[in-house]
Amino acid sequence: MSSPSDLKYTSSHEWLKDIGDGVYAVGITHHAQEALGDIVFVELPEVGRVVAAEQAIAVLESVKAASDIYAPVAGKIVGVNEIVADTPEAINSDAFGNWIFRIKVSNPADVDGLLSAADYDAQNA
């Protein structure tokens, strides 16, 4: 499965979608959810928390393992997706359609340094 080209990616398998005003929705990639297996629990970050790039801020638990979710860029958590907390398996059925948190980016230029879809897919081929 090729990754959507309108998103940015991290090496740690998070995706970012620009939703305007310096805010990005963040989730995990299809590759990540496949590696995790059936996701059974999502620990969301706290709204209002200021985070550094690459800081562990959320946790996904699957039948195989627990995995940290990292902040792709520095910023402030401005929203969380309660739907994935209540029905974590939604991430398995549509990883790119189910964001985990929203972040207001401290420095929008940091997003430019993330991976394109082609680069992410090449890294995970």
Side-chain angles (χ1 to χ4, degrees):
M1 170 181 215
S2 62
S3 302
S5 61
D6 62 329
L7 306 177
K8 293 296 242 175
Y9 299 87
T10 67
S11 295
S12 56
H13 310 292
E14 290 85 15
W15 57 258
L16 287 84
K17 180 177 184 171
D18 186 350
I19 57 173
D21 295 326
V23 176
Y24 289 78
V26 179
I28 65 165
T29 64
H30 179 75
H31 177 81
Q33 71 79 25
E34 267 191 339
L36 279 169
D38 293 336
I39 298 170
V40 296
F41 178 75
V42 178
E43 179 185 307
L44 298 169
E46 182 181 337
V47 173
R49 181 176 171 190
V50 176
V51 297
E54 301 179 5
Q55 180 179 357
I57 61 167
V59 177
L60 295 183
E61 291 182 14
S62 73
V63 294
K64 292 181 181 179
S67 181
D68 287 332
I69 303 301
Y70 300 93
V73 290
K76 182 178 182 179
I77 305 302
V78 295
V80 294
N81 188 350
E82 295 291 346
I83 294 170
V84 299
D86 294 339
T87 55
E89 64 275 9
I91 295 171
N92 290 117
S93 59
D94 185 5
F96 291 114
N98 288 289
W99 57 277
I100 297 169
F101 62 91
R102 290 185 173 163
I103 188 167
K104 173 86 172 171
V105 177
S106 297
N107 181 2
D110 290 347
V111 175
D112 296 335
L114 299 175
L115 299 170
S116 68
D119 292 339
Y120 178 79
D121 288 344
Q123 168 187 296
N124 294 289

